[in-house]
Amino acid sequence: DVKVTQSSRYLVKRTGEKVFLECVQDMDHENMFWYRQDPGLGLRLIYFSYDVKMKEKGDIPEGYSVSREKKERFSLILESASTNQTSMYLCASSLLGGEETQYFGPGTRLLVL
Amino acid sequence: DQQVKQNSPSLSVQEGRISILNCDYTNSMFDYFLWYKKYPAEGPTFLISISSIKDKNEDGRFTVFLNKSAKHLSLHIVPSQPGDSAVYFCAAELYTGNQFYFGTGTSLTVIP
């Protein structure tokens, strides 16, 4: 059964802290994605990766970085958290190539105070 | 600039009736379309998809229609059930693969 897990369901951090969000998939998928979901804005792509050590910017990469050292793991890093980064963060993975379904993790709800 | 739009933020339907959720897109380079369902505090789950070479795809109670000339797709759920109450996102994939664009979601409530 397909599985994408995220390290935390809920996180509370202070402004200026460095935040790590971890995502692991067990499906041997090449592609991994990080989105944020905000009310009225839907899912917006932050970064994606199609291979180990490869990364591509999505629509809203500012304030974020990513790391993919192993195929199954994709980390999202907030270098210095700000209150406007309070959001639901969703990780997804898919096989490489077109017409492939994305599988999502349960999400991490991050609150930055 | 939102390339995939869901203009109805919410929809209420009686149990047993048809639910129709709509989605419009602007980029003619999209060639694969998906619908996801999302419950609160969970990640989206894949529901149904359609390739741009088709105009209809059916899976049980769910049917997706694609009108390429109008750049419009719709999801029909019939009969609607209370368990269908969720937020539905449509998504589109660029022909190059690997990049998906999501709509803002429609919250469906099925009233028993």
Side-chain angles (χ1 to χ4, degrees), chain A residues 9 31 33 37 40 99 102 105, chain B residues 36 38 41 43 51 93 98 100:
Chain A
R9 294 301 301 271
N31 292 336
F33 307 82
Q37 183 199 354
E99 301 197 5
Q102 285 186 317
Chain B
Y36 285 85
K38 185 180 183 303
S51 167
E93 185 186 24
N98 305 327
F100 296 82

Side-chain angles (χ1 to χ4, degrees), chain A residues 8-72:
Chain A
S8 305
R9 294 301 301 271
Y10 301 95
L11 270 181
V12 180
K13 296 291 181 182
R14 297 212 172 270
T15 302
E17 277 192 80
K18 191 168 186 175
V19 182
F20 292 87
L21 302 182
E22 302 280 338
C23 175
V24 177
Q25 50 96 2
D26 65 359
M27 297 161 284
D28 203 35
H29 284 171
E30 293 87 1
N31 292 336
M32 295 188 76
F33 307 82
W34 275 106
Y35 295 90
R36 62 178 281 178
Q37 183 199 354
D38 299 289
L41 297 176
L43 276 68
R44 293 180 292 165
L45 181 65
I46 305 171
Y47 269 97
F48 70 99
S49 167
Y50 54 89
D51 200 355
V52 175
K53 297 194 186 296
M54 305 303 290
K55 61 184 179 185
E56 295 284 342
K57 291 180 180 179
D59 297 321
I60 50 164
E62 296 79 18
Y64 303 95
S65 62
V66 290
S67 172
R68 189 144 180 224
E69 296 296 318
K70 293 185 177 182
K71 189 176 185 180
E72 67 271 18

Side-chain angles (χ1 to χ4, degrees), chain A residues 9-10 31 33 35 37 40-43 45 48 57 59 88 90 94-102 104-107, chain B residues 2 31-32 34 36 38 41-46 49 51-52 87 89 93 96-105:
Chain A
R9 294 301 301 271
Y10 301 95
N31 292 336
F33 307 82
Y35 295 90
Q37 183 199 354
L41 297 176
L43 276 68
L45 181 65
F48 70 99
K57 291 180 180 179
D59 297 321
M88 167 73 92
L90 291 160
S94 73
L95 288 169
L96 195 65
E99 301 197 5
E100 294 295 340
T101 302
Q102 285 186 317
F104 283 85
Chain B
Q2 197 78 24
D31 70 347
Y32 187 59
L34 311 93
Y36 285 85
K38 185 180 183 303
E42 293 184 15
T45 54
F46 169 73
S49 62
S51 167
S52 60
V87 177
F89 290 98
E93 185 186 24
T96 50
N98 305 327
Q99 263 199 293
F100 296 82
Y101 293 82
F102 283 79
T104 51

